Amino acid sequence: MNLPDHFTDIIRQLLKDQTDAFISSLVEVPPVSLRLNPLKSEGKVSDLPEEGKQVPWSDWGYYLNKRPSFTFDPLFHGGKYYVQEASSMFIEHVVKQLIDKPLKCLDLCAAPGGKSVSLLSALPAGSLLTSNEIIRQRAYILSENITKQGSPTTVVTNNEPKDFAVLQDFYDMILVDAPCSGEGMFRKDDVAISEWSPENVRMCAERQKNILSDIWPALKPGGILIYSTCTYNTLENEVNALWVSDEMHAEFVEIKTEKEWGISPSFDDKVIAYRFFPHKTEGEGLFVTVLRKDGSTVSNSLQHIQKRNKKNRKYPSHLVKEVSTYKRYLINPDDFDFVQDENRIIAVSKQHTETILALKNSLKTISLGIELGEIKGKDFIPSHSLAMSSELNREIFSTRELTYDEAIAYLRREAISIPDSPKGFILLTYRDLPLGFVKNIGNRANNLYPNEWRIRT
């Protein structure tokens, strides 16, 4: 591996006599790890696609002994698990230590979705997660990965950090997994090595400060900021963390860890942080620090947002009054309100209806709640989001269990023939896990799997 000389100098200053061990670890094969989905898995080793062992800082994370072909595993497409780097699963450990009641959380730089998935497995039931991505194409990938998890209390947005300033004192917790110079991905990504330079490090550090400044007003006084990067230098890590503490009047929060995990401390005694180095922990490079915003007085931010939206005529009523047609699609229909957005019907948790509508009218939303389906003339076409949801009432659909070859054909969006099934919408499953819908018309079935999600290989 041809590492930049300046990068090696920085590492030697930080790690001293551990430098050679660190550099040697970069040429090793990275561990393969995934996170089981609590809504679709019992969290047992038997749920894994290959043999493995548990990630010590995660209840749902596992290392695999070898890398399977995830692309050709229907269980992956059905959301039973998410392929995630092990170090980043530490976010789950942080949240479980700090949070014990439902809250509103924002994952600001969320694509492709790994840390949002960690948050979903760690946040208390009843919490609302907003997952945001600034690049639109990546926001749709984020939405796909979040939808497959099946959680009914998520919102995916496509906004710049500064757009959240209108949501003053709104979120109880914000995760900023900031865009960085990517040093922690060197053994996985040759492009990260070729693009690295001291100038790029400085540029990333300044961009991270701008992101943190833009998002800070949206965090409630007393709220939690989790700041992370996948890089090693102190400029993007300790220096920026200390800047937040000093400039934003925030205090560091300590997280308990186990010595055998091999997590390293901060390189600055003034900063409480957690560092992952591949020669000491089984994972990639990661820096995590946690800060609490000063203050305890919180304005009624939701009322303020609603008033502003009404004044700007951006808060029309979307609620469906006659809901009997739609309630039958859900296991717990009384827990939801039903919203019509053009010709789509969306179920949103009653606990968060006002909040979700406020977000919808303040931000550019990609997806929210459970999209039940689409009204087309006299027909109602069930959505793939419904098939993926943990709230799906499977009793109202005829179900067809697929063989492996049939499942792969369906996921390729090829024509499916199920002549022994009744006409109409059929829920297809693989190993009893829903994969999606087809509309059976007798001699053939129209494949309703999302075209943009299909297996292309």
Side-chain angles (χ1 to χ4, degrees):
M1 180 178 290
N2 189 20
L3 295 173
D5 291 339
H6 196 86
F7 169 76
T8 304
D9 292 341
I10 291 173
I11 291 298
R12 202 168 295 280
Q13 292 174 16
L14 294 176
L15 296 181
K16 298 180 172 57
D17 59 353
Q18 297 181 40
T19 302
D20 291 342
F22 167 78
I23 292 175
S24 296
S25 72
L26 296 186
V27 298
E28 297 175 356
V29 177
V32 180
S33 53
L34 58 76
R35 167 180 294 281
L36 292 173
N37 183 352
L39 296 177
K40 300 185 180 184
S41 164
E42 295 181 358
K44 298 179 180 178
V45 175
S46 58
D47 291 328
L48 302 176
E50 294 286 348
E51 292 184 0
K53 64 178 182 179
Q54 191 162 12
V55 175
W57 45 83
S58 169
D59 292 338
W60 297 93
Y62 288 85
Y63 298 106
L64 302 184
N65 293 345
K66 61 179 181 179
R67 187 179 188 89
S69 177
F70 296 119
T71 300
F72 291 98
D73 185 0
L75 299 180
F76 167 70
H77 295 278
K80 190 164 188 175
Y81 63 85
Y82 180 87
V83 183
Q84 184 181 15
E85 195 280 309
S87 297
S88 64
M89 298 180 192
F90 186 66
I91 298 301
E92 173 194 343
H93 177 73
V94 172
V95 173
K96 284 194 170 182
Q97 277 210 17
L98 297 179
I99 308 302
D100 58 4
K101 60 183 180 180
L103 48 65
K104 296 193 294 291
C105 178
L106 168 65
D107 184 0
L108 181 67
C109 313
K115 290 185 174 63
S116 283
V117 171
S118 286
L119 289 167
L120 287 174
S121 68
L123 291 170
S127 297
L128 178 67
L129 174 65
T130 306
S131 298
N132 179 73
E133 170 57 41
I134 187 173
I135 300 172
R136 192 161 185 82
Q137 183 178 4
R138 285 169 55 83
Y140 281 105
I141 295 172
L142 171 64
S143 180
E144 173 185 345
N145 289 327
I146 295 297
T147 298
K148 287 176 179 177
Q149 295 303 301
S151 172
T153 50
T154 59
V155 178
V156 177
T157 58
N158 171 219
N159 287 82
E160 297 181 25
K162 65 181 181 181
D163 295 338
F164 288 86
V166 298
L167 305 175
Q168 189 167 358
D169 299 343
F170 189 78
Y171 288 104
D172 304 282
M173 183 168 68
I174 296 177
L175 167 62
V176 178
D177 183 39
C180 66
S181 58
E183 297 164 355
M185 302 302 292
F186 276 6
R187 70 173 170 180
K188 278 188 171 183
D189 188 355
D190 291 338
V191 176
I193 298 176
S194 65
E195 291 182 347
W196 189 92
S197 69
E199 293 75 21
N200 189 41
V201 168
R202 289 191 288 270
M203 181 194 71
C204 288
E206 286 303 311
R207 179 170 58 179
Q208 290 152 3
K209 285 183 180 179
N210 291 334
I211 290 172
L212 292 164
S213 295
D214 286 342
I215 201 62
W216 194 251
L219 183 64
K220 288 182 179 179
I224 294 292
L225 171 75
I226 304 173
Y227 174 70
S228 65
T229 73
C230 61
T231 200
Y232 300 117
N233 67 79
T234 57
L235 193 61
E236 297 177 75
N237 294 323
E238 281 87 351
V239 172
N240 273 353
L242 193 59
W243 177 83
V244 173
S245 178
D246 292 342
E247 294 295 319
M248 310 294 190
H249 306 293
E251 62 177 0
F252 290 102
V253 178
E254 186 172 0
I255 303 298
K256 295 179 181 178
T257 61
E258 301 296 333
K259 185 178 180 181
E260 57 266 26
W261 294 355
I263 300 172
S264 301
S266 166
F267 289 113
D268 187 330
D269 291 339
K270 297 178 182 178
V271 176
I272 299 175
Y274 306 87
R275 281 180 164 273
F276 291 68
F277 290 96
H279 68 294
K280 297 182 69 176
T281 55
E282 198 172 352
E284 301 303 327
L286 180 72
F287 171 92
V288 178
T289 189
V290 183
L291 299 108
R292 190 183 303 276
K293 188 174 184 178
D294 184 38
S296 58
T297 303
V298 180
S299 62
N300 193 327
S301 57
L302 181 58
Q303 282 189 3
H304 173 75
I305 295 163
Q306 289 172 333
K307 287 180 180 178
R308 179 183 58 78
N309 285 336
K310 285 181 179 178
K311 183 178 180 180
N312 296 335
R313 297 183 179 180
K314 292 183 178 180
Y315 200 72
S317 174
H318 291 279
L319 292 180
V320 176
K321 295 181 179 179
E322 179 50 57
V323 299
S324 58
T325 302
Y326 308 115
K327 292 179 71 171
R328 64 194 187 98
Y329 290 103
L330 303 178
I331 297 173
N332 301 293
D334 292 337
D335 293 343
F336 293 87
D337 285 321
F338 297 85
V339 175
Q340 182 163 353
D341 182 20
E342 296 181 349
N343 59 342
R344 299 179 302 149
I345 302 297
I346 302 168
V348 296
S349 170
K350 282 184 177 178
Q351 188 176 352
H352 299 293
T353 299
E354 288 188 336
T355 301
I356 290 173
L357 290 179
L359 289 173
K360 184 180 184 303
N361 290 283
S362 300
L363 302 170
K364 292 182 286 185
T365 55
I366 301 295
S367 59
L368 54 91
I370 310 166
E371 183 179 322
L372 300 183
E374 185 178 5
I375 302 170
K376 286 192 174 182
K378 295 181 179 180
D379 294 331
F380 185 72
I381 315 298
S383 167
H384 193 73
S385 172
L386 175 62
M388 293 292 97
S389 176
S390 61
E391 281 289 327
L392 168 67
N393 179 15
R394 295 171 60 167
E395 299 298 321
I396 69 166
F397 292 103
S398 295
T399 301
R400 169 67 181 265
E401 175 74 6
L402 300 179
T403 65
Y404 174 80
D405 289 340
E406 288 174 331
I408 294 300
Y410 173 72
L411 294 167
R412 289 183 186 274
R413 213 169 184 272
E414 296 173 358
I416 299 290
S417 178
I418 47 175
D420 56 335
S421 298
K423 291 183 179 181
F425 295 106
I426 310 293
L427 177 67
L428 303 183
T429 62
Y430 175 75
R431 295 187 185 178
D432 203 40
L433 180 73
L435 293 183
F437 294 109
V438 294
K439 185 177 183 180
N440 190 31
I441 56 177
N443 60 334
R444 63 183 174 85
N446 293 335
N447 192 328
L448 301 183
Y449 193 74
N451 185 55
E452 62 275 16
W453 294 14
R454 72 188 189 279
I455 297 176
R456 300 171 188 270
T457 305

